[in-house]
Amino acid sequence: MTRGGGGWTLISNSFYVSLINETSEKTLDEYAVGFGSASDADLWFGLDLISLYTNYQSMSLRLNLYRCAHNGVEAKWTDCTYKQFSVSDKSDDYRVTIPEV
């Protein structure tokens, strides 16, 4: 990923219509192992891999968010970045920790 200076690993990519159709029926086991591919409209890296990856070394988190146009409000991209985050493993219910806000 090249946004924000690059160096990012894509862990999720979803489009709204696909999100409703494809991810609403997923099980926790499917979210644990991941689904899709980088070339798909829908990608989820997998909670197990995210946990391993974020606990192997210090990681930052960047969220790229899109607000759809509605009620006369124009569409808009925005982002937020956290300097550090981690995801615990299954034994701790994949708890997300963001120590600094």
XYZ file of all heavy atoms in Angstrom:
801
model
N 0.849 -1.179 0.000
C 0.000 0.000 0.000
C 0.891 1.237 0.000
O 1.871 1.288 0.714
C -0.908 0.003 1.227
C -1.810 -1.201 1.362
S -3.555 -0.980 1.026
C -3.912 0.685 1.272
N 0.500 2.218 -0.775
C 1.333 3.407 -0.928
C 0.779 4.645 -0.214
O 1.475 5.641 -0.120
C 1.510 3.745 -2.413
O 0.226 3.942 -3.002
C 2.255 2.627 -3.131
N -0.425 4.603 0.280
C -0.988 5.772 0.974
C -0.195 6.076 2.235
O 0.339 5.185 2.875
C -2.448 5.522 1.358
C -3.378 5.529 0.191
C -4.806 5.453 0.663
N -5.678 5.369 -0.487
C -6.968 5.586 -0.433
N -7.532 5.904 0.695
N -7.693 5.488 -1.515
N -0.170 7.336 2.597
C 0.474 7.735 3.841
C 1.950 7.376 3.905
O 2.452 7.058 4.976
N 2.624 7.370 2.779
C 4.044 7.057 2.765
C 4.372 5.605 2.479
O 5.530 5.236 2.364
N 3.364 4.755 2.388
C 3.578 3.356 2.030
C 4.025 2.483 3.185
O 4.093 2.903 4.330
N 4.310 1.219 2.855
C 4.762 0.261 3.857
C 3.641 -0.441 4.605
O 3.882 -1.122 5.594
N 2.416 -0.319 4.142
C 1.263 -0.899 4.838
C 0.966 -2.300 4.312
O 1.185 -2.597 3.146
C 0.029 -0.018 4.636
C 0.227 1.369 5.133
C 0.560 2.469 4.398
C 0.145 1.810 6.484
N 0.684 3.563 5.203
C 0.434 3.198 6.493
C -0.132 1.191 7.695
C 0.445 3.950 7.654
C -0.127 1.950 8.852
C 0.156 3.305 8.824
N 0.444 -3.147 5.173
C -0.043 -4.475 4.786
C -1.560 -4.440 4.814
O -2.158 -4.072 5.830
C 0.461 -5.552 5.766
O 1.888 -5.561 5.736
C -0.070 -6.922 5.393
N -2.192 -4.807 3.718
C -3.647 -4.811 3.630
C -4.192 -6.014 4.392
O -3.886 -7.154 4.055
C -4.077 -4.873 2.162
C -5.563 -4.820 1.888
C -6.121 -3.453 2.268
C -5.824 -5.106 0.415
N -4.998 -5.757 5.446
C -5.578 -6.865 6.203
C -7.072 -7.009 5.965
O -7.655 -8.023 6.275
C -5.287 -6.772 7.723
C -5.867 -5.519 8.342
C -3.785 -6.874 7.976
C -5.764 -5.462 9.852
N -7.687 -5.978 5.388
C -9.105 -6.053 5.079
C -9.418 -5.115 3.929
O -8.894 -4.006 3.855
C -9.943 -5.655 6.297
O -11.324 -5.678 5.976
N -10.287 -5.570 3.039
C -10.756 -4.743 1.944
C -12.180 -5.174 1.657
O -12.428 -6.335 1.365
C -9.874 -4.944 0.703
C -10.214 -3.976 -0.395
O -10.560 -2.826 -0.134
N -10.122 -4.431 -1.634
N -13.113 -4.243 1.786
C -14.518 -4.573 1.545
C -15.216 -3.421 0.858
O -14.925 -2.259 1.126
C -15.254 -4.855 2.860
O -14.740 -5.985 3.487
N -16.127 -3.757 -0.004
C -17.019 -2.780 -0.598
C -18.398 -3.031 -0.007
O -18.794 -4.165 0.220
C -17.036 -2.900 -2.115
C -15.718 -2.530 -2.730
C -14.844 -3.518 -3.150
C -15.343 -1.198 -2.844
C -13.620 -3.178 -3.704
C -14.124 -0.852 -3.390
C -13.257 -1.844 -3.820
N -19.144 -1.967 0.229
C -20.392 -2.038 0.987
C -21.357 -3.104 0.482
O -21.838 -3.921 1.252
C -21.074 -0.663 0.987
C -22.317 -0.631 1.810
C -22.265 -0.701 3.192
C -23.570 -0.567 1.199
C -23.412 -0.685 3.947
C -24.719 -0.545 1.952
C -24.635 -0.607 3.326
O -25.774 -0.605 4.069
N -21.641 -3.136 -0.801
C -22.598 -4.120 -1.327
C -22.076 -5.529 -1.094
O -22.801 -6.407 -0.635
C -22.879 -3.872 -2.821
C -23.727 -4.980 -3.402
C -23.553 -2.516 -3.006
N -20.810 -5.756 -1.392
C -20.227 -7.077 -1.187
C -20.207 -7.434 0.284
O -20.410 -8.578 0.656
C -18.802 -7.114 -1.734
O -18.807 -6.893 -3.117
N -19.944 -6.454 1.139
C -19.889 -6.697 2.573
C -21.198 -7.286 3.072
O -21.213 -8.255 3.814
C -19.568 -5.392 3.305
C -19.367 -5.462 4.803
C -18.148 -6.308 5.133
C -19.230 -4.077 5.385
N -22.313 -6.727 2.646
C -23.619 -7.227 3.067
C -23.835 -8.639 2.545
O -24.257 -9.528 3.275
C -24.745 -6.302 2.574
C -24.679 -4.970 3.309
C -26.109 -6.951 2.763
C -25.611 -3.916 2.758
N -23.525 -8.868 1.282
C -23.809 -10.152 0.655
C -22.852 -11.264 1.070
O -23.253 -12.399 1.226
C -23.776 -10.016 -0.865
C -24.868 -9.098 -1.366
O -25.902 -8.958 -0.734
N -24.622 -8.459 -2.488
N -21.572 -10.941 1.223
C -20.564 -11.975 1.401
C -20.124 -12.211 2.839
O -19.789 -13.317 3.212
C -19.323 -11.649 0.557
C -19.598 -11.560 -0.925
C -20.055 -12.875 -1.522
O -19.590 -13.935 -1.065
O -20.878 -12.839 -2.448
N -20.064 -11.170 3.666
C -19.480 -11.340 4.994
C -20.500 -11.532 6.099
O -20.153 -11.986 7.178
C -18.572 -10.156 5.362
O -19.341 -8.959 5.339
C -17.398 -10.049 4.404
N -21.763 -11.227 5.855
C -22.753 -11.342 6.920
C -23.018 -12.790 7.317
O -23.489 -13.049 8.412
C -24.058 -10.652 6.521
O -24.597 -11.253 5.369
N -22.709 -13.728 6.457
C -22.947 -15.140 6.753
C -21.684 -15.874 7.207
O -21.713 -17.087 7.391
C -23.525 -15.831 5.508
C -24.841 -15.253 5.034
C -25.971 -15.437 6.040
O -26.032 -16.501 6.702
O -26.792 -14.513 6.170
N -20.583 -15.176 7.381
C -19.318 -15.814 7.778
C -19.365 -16.232 9.242
O -19.973 -15.575 10.075
C -18.135 -14.868 7.575
C -17.948 -14.388 6.167
C -17.308 -15.437 5.301
C -17.008 -14.868 3.924
N -16.851 -15.846 2.911
N -18.664 -17.324 9.550
C -18.564 -17.806 10.926
C -17.292 -17.251 11.572
O -16.397 -16.745 10.873
C -18.494 -19.341 10.961
O -17.271 -19.753 10.337
C -19.689 -19.977 10.261
N -17.194 -17.370 12.877
C -15.985 -16.942 13.569
C -14.777 -17.727 13.062
O -13.689 -17.164 12.898
C -16.132 -17.114 15.081
C -14.906 -16.722 15.914
C -14.489 -15.281 15.652
C -15.161 -16.956 17.383
N -14.956 -19.002 12.780
C -13.851 -19.805 12.246
C -13.360 -19.255 10.910
O -12.157 -19.235 10.650
C -14.260 -21.272 12.084
C -14.373 -21.998 13.407
O -13.776 -21.536 14.398
O -15.057 -23.039 13.451
N -14.271 -18.789 10.061
C -13.873 -18.201 8.782
C -13.107 -16.893 9.000
O -12.126 -16.624 8.318
C -15.087 -17.970 7.891
C -15.682 -19.264 7.361
C -16.985 -19.058 6.637
O -17.963 -18.631 7.284
O -17.020 -19.307 5.410
N -13.554 -16.094 9.962
C -12.824 -14.863 10.275
C -11.470 -15.175 10.899
O -10.509 -14.432 10.719
C -13.638 -13.952 11.199
C -14.619 -13.106 10.424
C -15.956 -13.466 10.319
C -14.197 -11.950 9.784
C -16.849 -12.697 9.603
C -15.082 -11.172 9.060
C -16.404 -11.553 8.979
O -17.271 -10.780 8.253
N -11.357 -16.271 11.615
C -10.087 -16.658 12.232
C -9.044 -17.026 11.175
O -7.889 -16.625 11.275
C -10.290 -17.822 13.198
N -9.441 -17.784 10.143
C -8.472 -18.231 9.130
C -8.361 -17.277 7.946
O -7.385 -17.323 7.204
C -8.792 -19.664 8.621
C -8.712 -20.663 9.752
C -10.123 -19.724 7.924
N -9.344 -16.418 7.745
C -9.312 -15.454 6.660
C -10.029 -15.950 5.421
O -10.338 -17.131 5.291
N -10.281 -15.020 4.498
C -10.950 -15.367 3.245
C -10.652 -14.301 2.199
O -10.207 -13.207 2.517
C -12.464 -15.522 3.438
C -13.127 -14.384 4.166
C -13.532 -13.245 3.493
C -13.347 -14.455 5.540
C -14.145 -12.206 4.156
C -13.953 -13.417 6.220
C -14.368 -12.288 5.526
N -10.879 -14.667 0.941
C -10.637 -13.761 -0.172
C -9.162 -13.726 -0.548
O -8.343 -14.474 -0.029
N -8.843 -12.838 -1.490
C -7.459 -12.636 -1.915
C -7.269 -11.160 -2.223
O -8.234 -10.408 -2.337
C -7.126 -13.489 -3.133
O -7.821 -13.018 -4.264
N -6.024 -10.736 -2.380
C -5.720 -9.326 -2.609
C -6.392 -8.797 -3.878
O -6.675 -7.617 -3.979
C -4.218 -9.120 -2.682
N -6.674 -9.663 -4.836
C -7.318 -9.218 -6.075
C -8.848 -9.212 -5.961
O -9.524 -8.708 -6.854
C -6.895 -10.118 -7.238
O -7.305 -11.445 -7.005
N -9.397 -9.749 -4.880
C -10.849 -9.768 -4.680
C -11.342 -8.444 -4.114
O -10.600 -7.693 -3.488
C -11.247 -10.871 -3.681
C -11.099 -12.263 -4.234
O -11.051 -12.415 -5.468
O -11.026 -13.206 -3.428
N -12.626 -8.175 -4.310
C -13.243 -6.995 -3.702
C -13.327 -7.180 -2.188
O -13.327 -6.209 -1.448
C -14.627 -6.767 -4.280
N -13.436 -8.403 -1.734
C -13.526 -8.689 -0.305
C -12.331 -9.509 0.132
O -12.060 -10.579 -0.413
C -14.813 -9.459 0.029
C -16.045 -8.610 -0.142
O -16.031 -7.465 0.355
O -17.006 -9.068 -0.771
N -11.615 -9.006 1.112
C -10.440 -9.671 1.652
C -10.450 -9.540 3.162
O -10.744 -8.470 3.700
C -9.162 -9.020 1.105
C -7.862 -9.363 1.850
C -7.440 -10.785 1.536
C -6.769 -8.382 1.511
N -10.175 -10.607 3.848
C -9.940 -10.580 5.288
C -8.723 -11.447 5.547
O -8.725 -12.633 5.265
C -11.159 -11.068 6.066
C -10.911 -11.070 7.534
C -10.786 -12.163 8.342
C -10.726 -9.932 8.380
N -10.536 -11.773 9.627
C -10.491 -10.394 9.682
C -10.712 -8.548 8.165
C -10.266 -9.553 10.756
C -10.488 -7.716 9.234
C -10.281 -8.217 10.513
N -7.659 -10.853 6.088
C -6.366 -11.487 6.311
C -6.462 -12.674 7.273
O -5.724 -13.639 7.149
C -5.433 -10.412 6.868
C -3.968 -10.717 6.776
C -3.346 -10.871 5.558
C -3.195 -10.789 7.920
C -1.981 -11.115 5.474
C -1.835 -11.026 7.852
C -1.240 -11.193 6.633
N -7.363 -12.608 8.228
C -7.564 -13.677 9.209
C -7.085 -13.259 10.587
O -5.975 -12.741 10.747
N -7.918 -13.467 11.583
C -7.584 -13.072 12.952
C -6.331 -13.768 13.461
O -5.519 -13.157 14.166
C -8.767 -13.352 13.883
C -9.978 -12.443 13.679
C -11.191 -13.015 14.400
C -9.677 -11.027 14.128
N -6.155 -15.045 13.123
C -4.970 -15.774 13.585
C -3.688 -15.140 13.041
O -2.718 -14.936 13.781
C -5.043 -17.256 13.202
C -6.135 -18.002 13.950
O -6.467 -17.601 15.089
O -6.648 -18.986 13.394
N -3.671 -14.810 11.754
C -2.485 -14.186 11.162
C -2.280 -12.760 11.668
O -1.140 -12.344 11.919
C -2.581 -14.187 9.636
C -2.381 -15.534 8.970
C -2.647 -15.433 7.474
C -0.984 -16.061 9.223
N -3.363 -12.017 11.827
C -3.247 -10.653 12.359
C -2.669 -10.700 13.767
O -1.802 -9.903 14.125
C -4.597 -9.923 12.331
C -5.063 -9.733 10.882
C -4.508 -8.575 13.048
C -6.512 -9.285 10.753
N -3.123 -11.653 14.570
C -2.602 -11.811 15.930
C -1.107 -12.124 15.909
O -0.317 -11.495 16.615
C -3.362 -12.917 16.666
O -2.800 -13.141 17.930
N -0.712 -13.096 15.093
C 0.712 -13.437 14.986
C 1.537 -12.243 14.516
O 2.585 -11.935 15.073
C 0.910 -14.607 14.018
C 0.503 -15.981 14.511
C 0.556 -16.985 13.361
C 1.403 -16.432 15.647
N 1.058 -11.590 13.498
C 1.760 -10.462 12.877
C 1.934 -9.294 13.851
O 3.006 -8.717 13.966
C 0.955 -10.042 11.648
C 1.671 -9.188 10.639
C 2.857 -9.600 10.049
C 1.128 -7.976 10.241
C 3.498 -8.820 9.100
C 1.761 -7.193 9.288
C 2.943 -7.617 8.720
O 3.564 -6.848 7.786
N 0.854 -8.937 14.568
C 0.912 -7.780 15.464
C 1.625 -8.068 16.775
O 2.005 -7.138 17.484
C -0.491 -7.215 15.773
O -1.276 -8.209 16.424
C -1.181 -6.747 14.498
N 1.811 -9.316 17.105
C 2.540 -9.658 18.330
C 3.992 -10.029 18.047
O 4.783 -10.182 18.963
C 1.818 -10.767 19.095
C 0.560 -10.238 19.743
O 0.621 -9.534 20.737
N -0.575 -10.531 19.149
N 4.355 -10.160 16.783
C 5.730 -10.457 16.380
C 6.598 -9.207 16.500
O 7.742 -9.260 16.922
C 5.742 -10.995 14.946
C 7.112 -11.217 14.381
C 7.909 -12.268 14.831
C 7.615 -10.373 13.403
C 9.176 -12.473 14.312
C 8.882 -10.569 12.877
C 9.662 -11.617 13.341
O 10.921 -11.814 12.826
N 6.048 -8.078 16.098
C 6.752 -6.802 16.195
C 5.721 -5.693 16.348
O 4.538 -5.895 16.082
C 7.624 -6.559 14.974
C 6.875 -6.465 13.663
C 7.823 -6.339 12.472
O 9.009 -6.588 12.595
N 7.309 -5.962 11.332
N 6.158 -4.528 16.752
C 5.274 -3.388 16.941
C 4.661 -2.975 15.606
O 5.355 -2.862 14.600
C 6.067 -2.225 17.547
O 5.215 -1.127 17.753
N 3.360 -2.776 15.580
C 2.631 -2.431 14.360
C 1.769 -1.203 14.598
O 1.223 -1.016 15.672
C 1.684 -3.568 13.948
C 2.345 -4.835 13.559
S 3.034 -4.645 11.922
C 4.264 -5.911 11.968
N 1.637 -0.386 13.562
C 0.678 0.707 13.599
C -0.544 0.283 12.787
O -0.498 -0.688 12.023
C 1.292 2.000 13.066
O 1.739 1.833 11.754
N -1.635 1.013 12.958
C -2.892 0.682 12.287
C -3.401 1.919 11.573
O -3.524 2.987 12.176
C -3.931 0.214 13.308
C -5.354 -0.032 12.800
C -5.380 -1.231 11.855
C -6.300 -0.261 13.977
N -3.671 1.780 10.285
C -4.262 2.877 9.517
C -5.603 2.396 8.986
O -5.690 1.335 8.354
C -3.362 3.272 8.357
C -3.949 4.387 7.499
C -3.054 4.663 6.297
N -3.696 5.570 5.381
C -3.343 6.840 5.235
N -2.368 7.348 5.968
N -3.971 7.596 4.362
N -6.639 3.163 9.250
C -7.974 2.875 8.749
C -8.308 3.877 7.659
O -8.277 5.087 7.892
C -9.011 2.975 9.872
C -8.768 2.080 11.085
C -9.746 2.413 12.190
C -8.878 0.624 10.689
N -8.594 3.390 6.470
C -9.067 4.227 5.367
C -10.573 4.028 5.291
O -11.039 2.911 5.050
C -8.410 3.826 4.044
C -6.924 4.047 4.059
O -6.449 5.072 4.536
N -6.183 3.089 3.546
N -11.313 5.086 5.511
C -12.767 4.999 5.616
C -13.429 5.814 4.511
O -12.949 6.880 4.138
C -13.218 5.525 6.979
C -12.543 4.861 8.179
C -12.827 5.647 9.443
C -12.981 3.421 8.312
N -14.559 5.315 4.032
C -15.300 5.990 2.975
C -16.728 6.224 3.442
O -17.403 5.297 3.885
C -15.310 5.131 1.702
C -16.044 5.763 0.554
C -15.487 6.826 -0.142
C -17.282 5.292 0.171
C -16.155 7.417 -1.198
C -17.965 5.866 -0.896
C -17.404 6.923 -1.566
O -18.062 7.497 -2.616
N -17.161 7.483 3.348
C -18.552 7.824 3.665
C -19.283 7.995 2.345
O -18.900 8.829 1.512
C -18.612 9.126 4.474
C -20.056 9.529 4.805
C -20.141 10.878 5.458
N -19.747 11.901 4.477
C -19.350 13.117 4.820
N -19.238 13.456 6.080
N -19.033 13.989 3.881
N -20.318 7.223 2.129
C -21.108 7.316 0.907
C -21.918 8.605 0.899
O -22.302 9.111 1.954
C -22.074 6.133 0.804
S -21.258 4.542 0.671
N -22.194 9.104 -0.286
C -23.051 10.279 -0.429
C -24.469 9.914 -0.004
O -24.966 8.839 -0.330
C -23.029 10.758 -1.872
N -25.097 10.793 0.762
C -26.487 10.574 1.157
C -27.106 11.885 1.635
O -26.407 12.751 2.161
C -26.593 9.509 2.255
C -26.017 9.949 3.568
N -24.661 10.060 3.790
C -26.622 10.333 4.710
C -24.451 10.482 5.024
N -25.614 10.660 5.608
N -28.381 12.037 1.425
C -29.138 13.215 1.878
C -28.436 14.526 1.558
O -28.375 15.437 2.392
C -29.433 13.132 3.380
C -30.311 11.966 3.738
O -31.133 11.528 2.937
N -30.152 11.441 4.933
N -27.879 14.649 0.372
C -27.232 15.879 -0.046
C -25.809 16.063 0.463
O -25.161 17.058 0.153
N -25.316 15.128 1.262
C -23.934 15.199 1.759
C -23.059 14.431 0.777
O -23.361 13.291 0.426
C -23.822 14.584 3.174
C -22.385 14.600 3.655
C -24.738 15.310 4.144
N -21.986 15.063 0.329
C -21.130 14.412 -0.662
C -20.304 13.280 -0.046
O -20.056 13.254 1.159
C -20.216 15.425 -1.337
C -19.214 16.076 -0.428
C -18.388 17.128 -1.145
O -18.961 17.995 -1.810
O -17.151 17.071 -1.018
N -19.892 12.365 -0.906
C -19.040 11.257 -0.481
C -17.685 11.803 -0.054
O -17.241 12.843 -0.545
C -18.886 10.261 -1.620
N -17.033 11.085 0.849
C -15.751 11.574 1.352
C -14.892 10.422 1.847
O -15.369 9.515 2.520
C -15.995 12.538 2.512
C -14.736 13.092 3.123
C -15.062 14.012 4.295
C -13.802 14.510 4.947
N -14.096 15.348 6.100
N -13.583 10.453 1.502
C -12.590 9.543 2.063
C -11.932 10.216 3.251
O -11.682 11.417 3.233
C -11.500 9.228 1.038
C -11.883 8.168 0.055
C -12.325 8.348 -1.212
C -11.849 6.762 0.269
N -12.565 7.142 -1.812
C -12.282 6.145 -0.908
C -11.508 5.956 1.360
C -12.385 4.771 -1.040
C -11.600 4.583 1.216
C -12.044 4.004 0.028
N -11.639 9.459 4.271
C -10.868 9.963 5.398
C -10.042 8.805 5.957
O -10.221 7.662 5.562
C -11.776 10.587 6.484
O -10.978 11.280 7.433
C -12.611 9.521 7.186
N -9.139 9.099 6.849
C -8.343 8.033 7.449
C -7.981 8.414 8.877
O -8.099 9.567 9.275
C -7.070 7.769 6.641
C -6.136 8.957 6.622
O -5.451 9.193 7.639
O -6.092 9.654 5.604
N -7.594 7.438 9.637
C -7.025 7.676 10.961
C -5.919 6.641 11.173
O -5.979 5.536 10.642
C -8.064 7.629 12.060
S -8.823 6.035 12.327
N -4.900 7.042 11.911
C -3.753 6.174 12.145
C -3.473 6.101 13.632
O -3.464 7.124 14.322
C -2.500 6.703 11.408
O -2.798 6.805 10.016
C -1.320 5.766 11.594
N -3.271 4.884 14.131
C -2.871 4.656 15.514
C -1.421 4.193 15.501
O -1.049 3.333 14.708
C -3.762 3.587 16.160
C -5.215 4.008 16.226
C -6.112 3.595 15.253
C -5.662 4.829 17.245
C -7.442 3.984 15.302
C -6.993 5.225 17.306
C -7.870 4.801 16.328
O -9.185 5.193 16.371
N -0.608 4.756 16.371
C 0.827 4.463 16.373
C 1.130 3.006 16.714
O 2.145 2.468 16.298
C 1.555 5.377 17.356
C 1.593 6.809 16.913
C 2.365 7.659 17.899
C 2.373 9.104 17.453
N 3.120 9.943 18.384
N 0.273 2.387 17.493
C 0.520 1.003 17.887
C -0.807 0.284 18.092
O -1.783 0.869 18.560
C 1.332 0.968 19.181
C 1.793 -0.399 19.580
C 2.661 -0.356 20.839
O 2.899 0.698 21.414
N 3.114 -1.510 21.263
N -0.835 -0.992 17.720
C -1.992 -1.837 18.021
C -1.561 -3.287 17.995
O -0.519 -3.647 17.460
C -3.143 -1.587 17.040
C -3.145 -2.471 15.809
C -4.106 -3.446 15.653
C -2.190 -2.312 14.811
C -4.124 -4.250 14.521
C -2.196 -3.106 13.675
C -3.173 -4.073 13.535
N -2.362 -4.117 18.641
C -2.139 -5.560 18.582
C -3.476 -6.261 18.731
O -4.453 -5.681 19.202
C -1.167 -6.020 19.675
O -1.716 -5.778 20.953
N -3.505 -7.512 18.292
C -4.688 -8.357 18.411
C -4.247 -9.621 19.136
O -3.281 -10.272 18.724
C -5.277 -8.706 17.025
C -6.458 -9.657 17.171
C -5.678 -7.438 16.278
N -4.942 -9.945 20.218
C -4.584 -11.152 20.967
C -5.039 -12.396 20.204
O -5.700 -12.300 19.173
C -5.208 -11.115 22.372
O -6.624 -11.149 22.280
N -4.734 -13.567 20.733
C -5.100 -14.809 20.048
C -6.492 -15.290 20.465
O -7.186 -14.641 21.237
C -4.033 -15.883 20.255
C -3.876 -16.280 21.713
O -4.764 -15.988 22.548
O -2.852 -16.911 22.021
N -6.868 -16.435 19.942
C -8.197 -16.996 20.179
C -8.493 -17.193 21.666
O -9.615 -16.975 22.105
C -8.340 -18.327 19.433
C -9.719 -18.934 19.517
C -9.805 -20.200 18.690
C -11.202 -20.779 18.755
N -11.340 -21.954 17.876
N -7.474 -17.582 22.441
C -7.696 -17.832 23.873
C -8.118 -16.567 24.618
O -8.699 -16.639 25.699
C -6.436 -18.415 24.518
O -5.400 -17.445 24.559
N -7.860 -15.396 24.014
C -8.254 -14.117 24.616
C -9.310 -13.418 23.748
O -9.468 -12.204 23.797
C -7.014 -13.233 24.778
C -7.232 -12.064 25.710
O -8.108 -12.137 26.594
O -6.524 -11.049 25.547
N -10.012 -14.203 22.938
C -11.109 -13.718 22.090
C -10.690 -12.632 21.100
O -11.471 -11.743 20.773
C -12.281 -13.215 22.939
C -12.917 -14.312 23.765
O -12.975 -15.467 23.275
O -13.343 -14.034 24.905
N -9.445 -12.708 20.623
C -8.931 -11.781 19.613
C -9.110 -10.313 20.033
O -9.478 -9.457 19.242
C -9.589 -12.023 18.249
C -9.381 -13.425 17.718
C -10.411 -14.347 17.690
C -8.128 -13.823 17.266
C -10.218 -15.631 17.196
C -7.921 -15.110 16.776
C -8.973 -16.010 16.750
O -8.779 -17.265 16.261
N -8.813 -10.035 21.271
C -8.945 -8.692 21.832
C -8.001 -7.722 21.121
O -6.827 -7.985 20.952
C -8.641 -8.706 23.330
C -8.759 -7.373 24.017
C -8.507 -7.502 25.520
N -7.417 -8.404 25.858
C -6.141 -8.048 25.944
N -5.776 -6.819 25.724
N -5.228 -8.938 26.274
N -8.536 -6.575 20.715
C -7.738 -5.520 20.081
C -7.263 -4.571 21.160
O -8.033 -4.126 22.001
C -8.565 -4.744 19.033
C -7.773 -3.576 18.473
C -9.026 -5.680 17.929
N -5.957 -4.265 21.130
C -5.379 -3.312 22.077
C -4.761 -2.158 21.307
O -3.955 -2.364 20.405
C -4.295 -3.986 22.946
O -4.880 -5.076 23.651
C -3.690 -3.012 23.925
N -5.210 -0.959 21.653
C -4.632 0.273 21.122
C -4.231 1.096 22.335
O -5.051 1.765 22.940
C -5.625 1.050 20.235
C -6.078 0.177 19.052
C -5.029 2.366 19.748
C -7.159 0.768 18.192
N -2.946 0.988 22.736
C -2.523 1.579 24.010
C -2.490 3.094 24.033
O -2.561 3.695 25.083
C -1.127 1.015 24.221
C -0.641 0.623 22.880
C -1.867 0.282 22.072
N -2.400 3.739 22.886
C -2.277 5.195 22.838
C -3.284 5.746 21.850
O -3.292 5.358 20.688
C -0.860 5.549 22.390
C -0.558 7.013 22.398
C 0.866 7.253 21.944
O 1.769 6.547 22.409
O 1.050 8.113 21.091
N -4.135 6.627 22.315
C -5.129 7.207 21.423
C -4.795 8.646 21.155
O -4.339 9.368 21.963
C -6.550 7.107 22.023
C -7.566 7.753 21.146
C -6.903 5.651 22.248
